[in-house]
Amino acid sequence: MYHREKSIQLKSSASALYNNLSVLRLAPRSLTHFAAVHANVVNLVSASWDGLNYSHRQLQSKEGNVATSSSLIMQMFESDGSIMVYWHALDTPETPTGVSLGTVLVFDVPSKGSNITLSEVLEEHTEAVTDMASECSGNAEYIADLVSADDSGLLCVWKSGGEFQLLNKIPGFDMSCSSVKLWKGTVVAAYGSGQIRLYEGVTGILHAEINAHARWIYSLDIAPFTGLLLSAAEDSFVRVWHLNPAPENNSVEMEHLYNECVTDTQICGAKFCDGDGYAFAVTGYDLSEIIRYTQA
Amino acid sequence: MSTRTLPLVFINLGGEMLYILDQRLRAQNIPTDKAKKVMNDIITTMFNKKFLEELFKPQELYSKKALRTVFDRLAHASIMRLNQASMDKLYDLMTMAFKYQVLLCPRPKDILLVTFNHMDAIKDFVQDTPSILSQVDETYRQLIEVSIFLKDKVQNSNGRFVLPTSGPVPHGTPPPGLIRMFSCNGEEMKRVQFRDGGNYTAALREGSFELFGDRVIKLGTNMYSVSRPVETHMSGTSKISSQHTKVNTIPNPLAKEELNLLAKLMGGLEVQKPSNSVPGFRINLFATDEEEEEALISRPAELSYGVINIQATKDNQANAELAKIMGEFTEAEEPVSSSSSRGDDLLAMMDGL
């Protein structure tokens, strides 16, 4: 289904952090930006779609290591104009970020200018926040539009905008939830046990449980237009799944489509490169490259 | 990052160091009593009470350079001497082995079992010396209290390790290959199998986190117990090491604090000064002296640790804090091993030659 493409070299290897790859596709400029964290350095690569031009940039964090997985979010504190581009690309004017204390900080980011202010602090998690995701279908009909996960496996489902409203708390199983996604009202969560669970966000009803990987899962991604789901783990496997909402009986069906083994690589980041899931990119611990796969 | 990783890094690296030294002492036919003394001295220093107290305080990990300095000192805590090339090779082997263990650890918690494997082996080394044995046991108790998650590890040089896609899954993880779908009221509606591309089996039983017991996991046990040559490719690793050193040259704002902490730690590390009357002996991590010489010549300049030069034992100008700690230390330790009694031991040993 997918075949391996030429990989992109990184200036330094990716650290073993969850979700350690960010991909941003800039259609008007025919560019794709990639970012992966190495210790306290963020490696940025922008690649032209014809595969001819790559430009590299390294951003040094000013203090200590970049603590959370969402590298681009942390950058807002210390980067220059070029990084603000990422911010403008985000849909919501208010952007939350999770920290290791378990608090979620909500920032007001104006559509223009650099006047970023802290507008709210959400204290529902008691363990380190591992990942956060906003509704990625782009459809406003879903009440829940943000989900946050923590080291105990607890999921918090939020309604954002103005004052954030906690809609539901989905308890964990004493196992860290490393990656989380929200698509068409369904929460997709990946755990250290190698399992993936699908929940209805607002009610917390369990739709499906998948024994997906043999080791800790590090990354999930969804292609919002096709419902393809990407999962990647320390066991060196990347898997592609298909999510199929069945509203008639209020459930979601899940189907396995594809396996890719990145030999001897503990995968720490995997993201689709486009909204259809036509291509995806992978980073691994101690690996100084981004490996790309496209559909044949 | 967790502030409790330092004792684990220290004990595991120290354990690996002891495995290698044990193997080299036997390979170089060092007399049993001398070899025994080296092992006992190093283990005594490693598990010194004051030293461990400092180590177990919650704190950030040290830089690679600072940690290396600690192990340089530890390796020279007895009558054995290593030259720079052999020390480099020893440290490369230690870090590579521990990195392999961390990388292959199925679950974060299992790093504790790896540590217990090292401690179990260390206990075997000092089996017939009850005083050291009780020191080691004290550390077990402290470790059992520590329960932490290790995710972001110190980055080291070296190549890639083989990741098996078969064998047992970690405890608490079901083997991959099953999708279960549920109805609104929680009943299972459908089960679908999928091909997972690997060949995994169910988890083994969980290892014992107690003082004694079967750890189940094999990582952290002695790989050198079977006599075989120790292979490292210096040329390859030093190239990568020098690459990594570049990253390290970025000034660290915490460096001063780190050095102070290091000084505190070193306060607990007693180092035997080589003196003219007591020559001790030299150990070589390479097959021949020529090879060692070669490695020393081809040693990249970046690996010279000229910057950190702490003369904790001699320098009268050392800061007051350090002097105080050192003072406390010698006072507390006097009845057990004063330097004069150690000198006597050495003389006695040399007489026996």
Side-chain angles (χ1 to χ4, degrees):
Chain A
M1 187 176 168
Y2 290 86
H3 69 271
R4 189 167 167 162
E5 294 249 348
K6 207 176 102 188
S7 56
I8 302 170
Q9 297 303 310
L10 287 173
K11 296 280 183 200
S12 49
S13 66
S15 287
L17 300 166
Y18 302 145
N19 310 298
N20 194 358
L21 175 66
S22 292
V23 176
L24 180 75
R25 194 178 139 98
L26 293 175
R29 295 166 62 197
S30 302
L31 279 179
T32 304
H33 290 323
F34 298 90
V37 175
H38 169 90
N40 59 345
V41 178
V42 183
N43 289 290
L44 291 173
V45 185
S46 66
S48 65
W49 289 357
D50 55 18
L52 297 176
N53 289 308
Y54 296 99
S55 80
H56 293 264
R57 188 186 187 105
Q58 285 190 305
L59 297 169
Q60 181 90 35
S61 159
K62 288 202 179 65
E63 44 185 280
N65 286 4
V66 178
T68 61
S69 47
S70 318
S71 53
L72 297 179
I73 287 174
M74 292 302 287
Q75 278 311 305
M76 113 176 157
F77 298 108
E78 46 219 3
S79 64
D80 56 326
S82 71
I83 302 309
M84 293 305 293
V85 173
Y86 288 98
W87 283 98
H88 295 310
L90 293 168
D91 296 333
T92 45
E94 281 179 318
T95 312
T97 161
V99 300
S100 62
L101 293 172
T103 51
V104 175
L105 312 177
V106 183
F107 292 94
D108 248 320
V109 182
S111 58
K112 257 191 180 163
S114 57
N115 187 22
I116 299 163
T117 51
L118 178 68
S119 67
E120 206 178 337
V121 178
L122 311 173
E123 290 173 326
E124 291 293 340
H125 290 284
T126 51
E127 306 243 353
V129 175
T130 48
D131 195 20
M132 310 185 70
S134 56
E135 170 65 50
C136 62
S137 67
N139 196 327
E141 73 178 89
Y142 302 102
I143 307 161
D145 51 15
L146 180 78
V147 59
S148 52
D150 74 22
D151 229 356
S152 71
L154 175 73
L155 300 170
C156 288
V157 183
W158 307 88
K159 165 107 196 97
S160 70
E163 239 168 62
F164 276 56
Q165 190 189 337
L166 179 71
L167 298 176
N168 193 16
K169 265 186 168 181
I170 304 172
F173 295 76
D174 207 21
M175 179 51 92
S176 178
C177 174
S178 49
S179 192
V180 70
K181 286 281 168 268
L182 184 57
W183 181 70
K184 294 192 174 175
T186 301
V187 173
V188 186
Y191 299 87
S193 59
Q195 292 174 303
I196 297 174
R197 292 195 186 91
L198 307 184
Y199 292 99
E200 184 176 275
V202 180
T203 60
I205 291 172
L206 179 68
H207 286 319
E209 182 182 79
I210 302 101
N211 300 342
H213 288 272
R215 295 285 188 276
W216 215 272
I217 300 179
Y218 265 55
S219 193
L220 286 179
D221 198 24
I222 282 181
F225 305 143
T226 52
L228 292 184
L229 171 71
L230 188 71
S231 68
E234 268 188 349
D235 63 2
S236 75
F237 281 101
V238 188
R239 305 193 199 280
V240 180
W241 316 79
H242 184 235
L243 296 180
N244 193 14
E248 62 280 2
N249 47 9
N250 190 24
S251 68
V252 180
E253 300 249 317
M254 173 107 164
E255 186 192 356
H256 174 257
L257 295 183
Y258 179 75
N259 290 328
E260 180 73 47
C261 177
V262 190
T263 309
D264 296 342
T265 304
Q266 293 182 325
I267 300 166
C268 52
K271 285 279 183 300
F272 282 123
C273 300
D274 54 90
D276 295 317
Y278 175 75
F280 65 84
V282 171
T283 55
Y285 171 62
D286 225 2
L287 193 70
S288 302
E289 55 183 316
I290 297 173
I291 306 170
R292 285 186 296 177
Y293 296 85
T294 47
Q295 276 184 25
Chain B
M1 202 194 297
S2 167
T3 52
R4 296 200 178 265
T5 40
L6 188 64
L8 296 189
V9 170
F10 178 77
I11 292 168
N12 286 296
L13 284 176
E16 284 302 322
M17 183 167 94
L18 291 167
Y19 288 161
I20 300 163
L21 291 182
D22 174 59
Q23 194 265 349
R24 291 312 297 169
L25 288 167
R26 279 185 285 115
Q28 283 184 219
N29 294 320
I30 306 291
T32 322
D33 52 340
K34 273 195 175 184
K36 191 98 214 153
K37 174 159 175 59
V38 170
M39 297 298 277
N40 283 351
D41 282 352
I42 294 180
I43 294 168
T44 311
T45 314
M46 256 185 91
F47 295 96
N48 175 286
K49 197 163 168 278
K50 268 248 153 63
F51 178 58
L52 285 176
E53 270 170 22
E54 286 296 333
L55 200 67
F56 273 88
K57 281 179 187 161
Q59 57 195 296
E60 291 291 312
L61 270 182
Y62 296 142
S63 70
K64 280 182 279 183
K65 274 188 181 174
L67 203 62
R68 165 73 197 253
T69 311
V70 171
F71 281 102
D72 277 0
R73 286 263 163 156
L74 188 59
H76 291 101
S78 186
I79 50 172
M80 177 194 73
R81 290 292 167 264
L82 288 156
N83 77 4
Q84 278 297 351
S86 277
M87 189 62 218
D88 286 348
K89 180 160 177 177
L90 173 66
Y91 199 66
D92 269 351
L93 286 170
M94 288 157 55
T95 48
M96 202 200 306
F98 183 46
K99 179 177 178 179
Y100 176 75
Q101 290 153 7
V102 173
L103 206 79
L104 271 278
C105 236
R107 302 172 303 161
K109 193 179 170 187
D110 291 328
I111 200 82
L112 269 179
L113 291 178
V114 175
T115 312
F116 285 143
N117 270 337
H118 278 122
M119 303 267 298
D120 291 348
I122 291 169
K123 265 173 74 169
D124 281 345
F125 284 136
V126 292
Q127 229 170 359
D128 33 5
T129 321
S131 61
I132 311 178
L133 209 56
S134 68
Q135 265 179 272
V136 180
D137 276 343
E138 177 55 35
T139 314
Y140 272 97
R141 271 182 283 279
Q142 280 177 281
L143 266 180
I144 290 167
E145 286 163 22
V146 176
S147 175
I148 54 140
F149 274 70
L150 269 179
K151 280 324 283 184
D152 191 17
K153 285 305 307 170
V154 211
Q155 288 248 318
N156 286 315
S157 46
N158 319 325
R160 306 204 69 75
F161 297 118
V162 174
L163 287 187
T165 56
S166 59
V169 294
H171 187 83
T173 299
L178 180 66
I179 305 175
R180 294 160 70 206
M181 282 167 264
F182 302 92
S183 70
C184 292
N185 47 27
E187 280 168 47
E188 189 176 306
M189 286 191 319
K190 202 162 140 191
R191 259 174 193 247
V192 185
Q193 301 273 348
F194 71 90
R195 199 180 48 80
D196 68 276
N199 187 19
Y200 297 101
T201 55
L204 302 172
R205 69 189 188 286
E206 191 168 37
S208 160
F209 288 90
E210 300 302 316
L211 191 54
F212 299 100
D214 183 1
R215 314 293 181 196
V216 179
I217 199 164
K218 289 288 165 260
L219 297 167
T221 54
N222 194 345
M223 324 190 275
Y224 307 94
S225 51
V226 193
S227 185
R228 62 181 147 186
V230 192
E231 286 292 332
T232 44
H233 299 282
M234 272 308 283
S235 52
T237 49
S238 49
K239 238 183 271 160
I240 305 168
S241 310
S242 56
Q243 230 178 45
H244 277 258
T245 334
K246 266 179 217 145
V247 182
N248 260 356
T249 54
I250 301 152
N252 179 354
L254 296 171
K256 195 180 159 230
E257 214 161 312
E258 187 176 71
L259 273 174
N260 284 339
L261 272 163
L262 182 64
K264 277 194 178 186
L265 268 184
M266 306 285 278
L269 268 189
E270 202 186 356
V271 176
Q272 279 205 346
K273 285 157 278 177
S275 71
N276 292 336
S277 58
V278 189
F281 64 90
R282 196 177 65 86
I283 200 164
N284 179 2
L285 264 277
F286 296 82
T288 60
D289 281 356
E290 289 74 36
E291 242 180 82
E292 188 184 46
E293 197 109 317
E294 229 169 83
L296 192 58
I297 293 162
S298 61
R299 195 169 184 267
E302 296 95 318
L303 279 178
S304 299
Y305 296 89
V307 186
I308 298 180
N309 185 12
I310 300 175
Q311 288 180 301
T313 47
K314 278 184 188 166
D315 197 348
N316 291 331
Q317 305 297 318
N319 66 51
E321 170 72 348
L322 184 58
K324 203 179 108 220
I325 291 156
M326 294 289 291
E328 281 170 10
F329 176 71
T330 42
E331 236 166 76
E333 286 299 300
E334 216 146 26
V336 193
S337 65
S338 72
S339 52
S340 68
S341 82
R342 193 173 287 222
D344 290 346
D345 285 354
L346 280 175
L347 284 173
M349 262 181 69
M350 299 317 287
D351 286 342
L353 279 175

